[in-house]
Amino acid sequence: MDEPRPLDERGVTRRGSLLRLGGLAAGVVGAVGWAHERAEASGRSGSGPAAVAAGLVTCVLSPEQTEGPFFTENDRIRRDVRDGRPGVPLSLRAGVLDVSTCKPIPGALVDIWHCDAGGTYSGFAQEGTAGARFLRGIQRTDRNGVAIFRTIYPGWYPGRTVHIHVRVYVGGDIVHTGQLYFPDALTDAVFRRVPYSRRPARTTRNPSDALYRNGGSRSLLKLTRNVTGYAARITMGVQLR
Protein backbone atom coordinates (compact mmCIF):
# COMPACT_ATOMS: atom_id res chain seq x y z
CA MET A 1 0.00 0.00 0.00
CA ASP A 2 1.17 3.48 -0.77
CA GLU A 3 -0.40 5.81 1.76
CA PRO A 4 -1.88 5.19 5.23
CA ARG A 5 -5.16 6.69 3.97
CA PRO A 6 -7.55 4.64 1.74
CA LEU A 7 -6.39 4.44 -1.85
CA ASP A 8 -8.52 6.04 -4.53
CA GLU A 9 -8.61 3.68 -7.51
CA ARG A 10 -8.32 5.73 -10.68
CA GLY A 11 -8.05 5.13 -14.43
CA VAL A 12 -4.68 4.77 -16.11
CA THR A 13 -5.06 7.27 -18.94
CA ARG A 14 -5.43 11.04 -19.08
CA ARG A 15 -5.31 11.31 -22.88
CA GLY A 16 -8.27 13.67 -23.19
CA SER A 17 -7.20 16.19 -20.56
CA LEU A 18 -3.54 16.11 -21.55
CA LEU A 19 -4.26 16.57 -25.23
CA ARG A 20 -6.15 19.71 -24.27
CA LEU A 21 -3.34 20.86 -22.00
CA GLY A 22 -0.39 19.97 -24.11
CA GLY A 23 -1.72 19.79 -27.65
CA LEU A 24 0.10 16.48 -28.17
CA ALA A 25 -0.82 13.96 -30.84
CA ALA A 26 -1.85 10.55 -29.53
CA GLY A 27 0.81 7.86 -29.79
CA VAL A 28 1.50 4.29 -28.85
CA VAL A 29 3.96 4.18 -25.98
CA GLY A 30 5.33 1.35 -23.86
CA ALA A 31 4.63 1.43 -20.14
CA VAL A 32 8.13 0.52 -18.98
CA GLY A 33 9.78 2.89 -16.48
CA TRP A 34 13.49 3.54 -16.37
CA ALA A 35 15.91 5.87 -14.65
CA HIS A 36 18.94 7.50 -16.23
CA GLU A 37 22.07 9.16 -14.93
CA ARG A 38 24.23 11.37 -17.12
CA ALA A 39 27.85 12.10 -16.24
CA GLU A 40 28.45 15.84 -16.18
CA ALA A 41 32.21 15.94 -16.62
CA SER A 42 33.50 19.30 -17.76
CA GLY A 43 33.92 19.64 -21.50
CA ARG A 44 32.15 16.34 -22.36
CA SER A 45 28.71 15.85 -23.86
CA GLY A 46 26.78 13.43 -26.02
CA SER A 47 23.91 11.00 -26.17
CA GLY A 48 22.97 7.70 -27.74
CA PRO A 49 25.03 4.51 -28.07
CA ALA A 50 28.31 6.38 -28.54
CA ALA A 51 27.80 8.18 -25.24
CA VAL A 52 26.98 4.86 -23.56
CA ALA A 53 30.19 3.34 -24.91
CA ALA A 54 32.14 6.36 -23.67
CA GLY A 55 30.67 6.04 -20.19
CA LEU A 56 28.84 9.38 -20.42
CA VAL A 57 25.37 7.83 -20.17
CA THR A 58 23.94 4.82 -18.38
CA CYS A 59 20.36 3.54 -18.51
CA VAL A 60 19.12 1.75 -15.39
CA LEU A 61 15.76 0.09 -14.82
CA SER A 62 13.60 2.17 -12.49
CA PRO A 63 10.64 0.69 -10.61
CA GLU A 64 7.06 1.70 -11.30
CA GLN A 65 5.28 2.79 -8.13
CA THR A 66 1.70 3.60 -7.21
CA GLU A 67 0.29 7.09 -7.80
CA GLY A 68 -1.23 7.13 -4.29
CA PRO A 69 -4.56 8.58 -3.16
CA PHE A 70 -3.77 12.27 -3.79
CA PHE A 71 -3.41 12.37 -7.56
CA THR A 72 -5.65 14.93 -9.26
CA GLU A 73 -6.67 15.56 -12.86
CA ASN A 74 -5.95 18.71 -14.84
CA ASP A 75 -2.91 20.05 -13.02
CA ARG A 76 -1.72 23.37 -14.36
CA ILE A 77 1.22 23.72 -16.73
CA ARG A 78 3.64 25.84 -14.69
CA ARG A 79 7.20 25.85 -13.44
CA ASP A 80 6.69 27.38 -9.98
CA VAL A 81 4.30 25.18 -7.99
CA ARG A 82 4.82 26.70 -4.55
CA ASP A 83 1.76 28.96 -4.30
CA GLY A 84 3.32 30.61 -1.27
CA ARG A 85 3.76 27.46 0.81
CA PRO A 86 6.63 27.86 3.28
CA GLY A 87 9.64 25.58 3.15
CA VAL A 88 13.23 25.20 2.02
CA PRO A 89 13.38 26.05 -1.72
CA LEU A 90 13.96 23.11 -4.03
CA SER A 91 14.77 23.25 -7.73
CA LEU A 92 13.90 19.97 -9.45
CA ARG A 93 15.36 19.02 -12.85
CA ALA A 94 13.48 15.99 -14.17
CA GLY A 95 14.75 14.49 -17.42
CA VAL A 96 13.09 12.01 -19.77
CA LEU A 97 14.88 9.76 -22.25
CA ASP A 98 14.22 6.95 -24.69
CA VAL A 99 15.96 4.01 -23.06
CA SER A 100 16.43 2.14 -26.35
CA THR A 101 18.71 4.93 -27.62
CA CYS A 102 19.60 6.77 -24.39
CA LYS A 103 18.56 9.97 -26.15
CA PRO A 104 16.45 12.67 -24.45
CA ILE A 105 12.79 13.06 -25.38
CA PRO A 106 11.73 16.68 -25.96
CA GLY A 107 8.07 17.58 -25.52
CA ALA A 108 7.23 14.96 -22.88
CA LEU A 109 4.99 16.10 -20.03
CA VAL A 110 6.22 15.66 -16.46
CA ASP A 111 3.58 15.90 -13.71
CA ILE A 112 4.65 16.22 -10.06
CA TRP A 113 2.77 16.51 -6.76
CA HIS A 114 3.79 16.27 -3.11
CA CYS A 115 2.79 17.32 0.39
CA ASP A 116 3.77 20.61 2.03
CA ALA A 117 6.10 21.08 5.00
CA GLY A 118 3.26 20.08 7.33
CA GLY A 119 2.53 16.83 5.49
CA THR A 120 -0.64 18.09 3.77
CA TYR A 121 -1.65 17.63 0.12
CA SER A 122 -3.67 20.18 -1.81
CA GLY A 123 -7.01 19.57 -3.49
CA PHE A 124 -8.74 17.24 -1.02
CA ALA A 125 -11.51 17.91 1.49
CA GLN A 126 -10.15 15.35 3.94
CA GLU A 127 -6.91 17.34 4.00
CA GLY A 128 -8.80 20.61 4.48
CA THR A 129 -7.46 21.87 1.14
CA ALA A 130 -10.36 21.44 -1.29
CA GLY A 131 -9.91 23.80 -4.24
CA ALA A 132 -6.22 24.48 -3.53
CA ARG A 133 -3.54 23.42 -6.05
CA PHE A 134 -0.28 24.06 -4.23
CA LEU A 135 2.73 21.84 -4.92
CA ARG A 136 1.23 20.41 -8.10
CA GLY A 137 2.15 21.14 -11.68
CA ILE A 138 3.11 19.97 -15.15
CA GLN A 139 6.07 20.97 -17.28
CA ARG A 140 7.03 20.03 -20.83
CA THR A 141 10.58 18.81 -21.37
CA ASP A 142 12.84 21.07 -23.42
CA ARG A 143 15.00 20.06 -26.39
CA ASN A 144 17.39 18.38 -23.93
CA GLY A 145 14.56 16.31 -22.45
CA VAL A 146 14.54 18.23 -19.14
CA ALA A 147 11.60 19.72 -17.21
CA ILE A 148 12.42 22.17 -14.41
CA PHE A 149 10.25 22.91 -11.36
CA ARG A 150 10.49 25.38 -8.50
CA THR A 151 9.04 23.84 -5.35
CA ILE A 152 9.92 23.23 -1.69
CA TYR A 153 11.46 20.30 0.15
CA PRO A 154 8.49 18.04 1.03
CA GLY A 155 7.44 17.35 4.59
CA TRP A 156 6.34 14.02 6.03
CA TYR A 157 3.22 12.28 7.27
CA PRO A 158 2.73 9.02 9.21
CA GLY A 159 3.54 5.83 7.37
CA ARG A 160 5.62 7.33 4.54
CA THR A 161 9.14 8.54 4.04
CA VAL A 162 9.71 11.87 2.28
CA HIS A 163 8.87 11.67 -1.43
CA ILE A 164 7.60 13.39 -4.57
CA HIS A 165 5.07 11.71 -6.86
CA VAL A 166 5.77 11.87 -10.59
CA ARG A 167 4.15 10.85 -13.85
CA VAL A 168 5.53 11.10 -17.36
CA TYR A 169 3.41 11.33 -20.52
CA VAL A 170 4.46 11.00 -24.15
CA GLY A 171 1.87 11.54 -26.85
CA GLY A 172 -0.81 11.96 -24.18
CA ASP A 173 -0.29 8.49 -22.67
CA ILE A 174 1.18 7.56 -19.31
CA VAL A 175 4.63 6.03 -19.78
CA HIS A 176 5.90 6.17 -16.20
CA THR A 177 4.42 6.49 -12.71
CA GLY A 178 6.91 6.71 -9.88
CA GLN A 179 8.03 8.33 -6.67
CA LEU A 180 11.21 10.27 -6.06
CA TYR A 181 13.07 9.99 -2.76
CA PHE A 182 15.56 11.97 -0.68
CA PRO A 183 18.64 10.83 1.28
CA ASP A 184 17.73 10.46 4.96
CA ALA A 185 20.80 12.34 6.19
CA LEU A 186 19.93 15.38 4.10
CA THR A 187 16.29 15.25 5.18
CA ASP A 188 17.42 15.20 8.82
CA ALA A 189 19.40 18.40 8.22
CA VAL A 190 16.54 20.13 6.40
CA PHE A 191 14.01 19.17 9.05
CA ARG A 192 16.04 20.95 11.70
CA ARG A 193 15.01 24.18 9.98
CA VAL A 194 11.73 26.10 10.26
CA PRO A 195 8.94 25.29 9.40
CA TYR A 196 9.78 21.56 9.52
CA SER A 197 11.24 21.80 13.03
CA ARG A 198 7.86 22.86 14.44
CA ARG A 199 6.61 19.29 14.04
CA PRO A 200 7.59 16.12 15.93
CA ALA A 201 10.34 13.92 14.56
CA ARG A 202 9.22 11.97 11.51
CA THR A 203 8.11 8.41 12.08
CA THR A 204 9.23 6.73 8.84
CA ARG A 205 12.64 6.76 7.18
CA ASN A 206 13.66 5.26 3.84
CA PRO A 207 14.57 1.74 5.07
CA SER A 208 11.25 1.36 6.91
CA ASP A 209 9.06 2.65 4.06
CA ALA A 210 7.37 -0.25 2.23
CA LEU A 211 7.50 1.44 -1.16
CA TYR A 212 11.08 2.60 -0.80
CA ARG A 213 12.11 -0.96 0.00
CA ASN A 214 10.60 -2.00 -3.34
CA GLY A 215 13.23 -0.29 -5.50
CA GLY A 216 13.17 3.21 -4.08
CA SER A 217 16.96 3.37 -3.86
CA ARG A 218 16.96 3.51 -7.67
CA SER A 219 14.73 6.60 -7.55
CA LEU A 220 16.86 8.65 -5.16
CA LEU A 221 17.29 12.25 -6.20
CA LYS A 222 20.79 13.67 -6.48
CA LEU A 223 20.89 16.88 -4.46
CA THR A 224 23.31 19.77 -4.12
CA ARG A 225 23.19 23.00 -2.15
CA ASN A 226 22.52 26.26 -3.96
CA VAL A 227 22.17 29.87 -2.86
CA THR A 228 18.62 29.56 -1.51
CA GLY A 229 18.15 25.88 -0.79
CA TYR A 230 18.76 22.72 -2.80
CA ALA A 231 18.88 21.58 -6.41
CA ALA A 232 17.65 18.06 -7.19
CA ARG A 233 17.98 16.09 -10.40
CA ILE A 234 16.93 12.78 -11.83
CA THR A 235 16.26 11.45 -15.32
CA MET A 236 13.54 8.91 -16.04
CA GLY A 237 13.55 6.79 -19.15
CA VAL A 238 10.76 5.22 -21.17
CA GLN A 239 10.80 2.59 -23.87
CA LEU A 240 8.92 3.71 -26.96
CA ARG A 241 7.31 1.02 -29.13
Side-chain angles (χ1 to χ4, degrees):
M1 295 180 62
D2 175 28
E3 318 282 349
R5 307 157 174 105
L7 287 176
D8 181 5
E9 297 297 330
R10 301 176 185 273
V12 295
T13 180
R14 296 172 65 192
R15 180 187 298 272
S17 61
L18 285 168
L19 287 176
R20 290 192 297 271
L21 281 172
L24 298 179
V28 179
V29 181
V32 179
W34 298 73
H36 160 270
E37 294 183 3
R38 178 173 305 192
E40 295 183 342
S42 176
R44 298 192 302 170
S45 63
S47 61
V52 174
L56 298 179
V57 174
T58 58
C59 301
V60 181
L61 182 65
S62 178
E64 293 282 304
Q65 296 199 329
T66 178
E67 70 182 23
F70 294 113
F71 166 78
T72 61
E73 296 281 356
N74 300 318
D75 285 343
R76 294 165 53 193
I77 294 182
R78 57 179 182 165
R79 175 169 292 190
D80 190 337
V81 302
R82 294 173 295 177
D83 284 350
R85 303 306 281 193
V88 172
L90 180 71
S91 171
L92 173 62
R93 296 176 60 89
V96 181
L97 63 84
D98 179 350
V99 74
S100 66
T101 63
C102 283
K103 291 184 176 181
I105 301 176
L109 294 181
V110 179
D111 188 355
I112 67 165
W113 66 101
H114 64 85
C115 69
D116 66 8
T120 299
Y121 283 88
S122 65
F124 287 85
Q126 65 266 37
E127 297 282 285
T129 58
R133 307 299 286 181
F134 58 81
L135 305 178
R136 300 178 180 274
I138 296 172
Q139 274 288 284
R140 189 189 304 274
T141 58
D142 61 19
R143 64 181 182 178
N144 297 312
V146 177
I148 301 174
F149 295 90
R150 295 180 65 191
T151 185
I152 62 168
Y153 206 100
W156 67 274
Y157 51 95
R160 288 305 318 277
T161 193
V162 178
H163 62 281
I164 293 176
H165 293 269
V166 63
R167 268 191 170 175
V168 179
Y169 308 83
V170 176
D173 291 332
I174 299 168
V175 295
H176 178 64
T177 301
Q179 297 187 28
L180 310 178
Y181 297 95
F182 296 78
D184 276 329
L186 179 58
T187 297
D188 290 341
V190 171
F191 281 10
R192 286 193 286 268
R193 300 170 61 175
V194 174
Y196 311 90
S197 60
R198 295 177 180 145
R199 303 183 65 209
R202 59 191 173 119
T203 57
T204 305
R205 301 171 69 84
N206 289 345
S208 57
D209 182 278
L211 282 172
Y212 182 87
R213 291 198 303 268
N214 188 26
S217 61
R218 286 175 281 157
S219 298
L220 269 173
L221 292 161
K222 294 186 179 298
L223 291 109
T224 56
R225 286 292 302 266
N226 59 25
V227 175
T228 59
Y230 292 90
R233 61 183 176 88
I234 195 167
T235 305
M236 300 156 287
V238 298
Q239 186 169 19
L240 304 181
R241 296 178 180 175

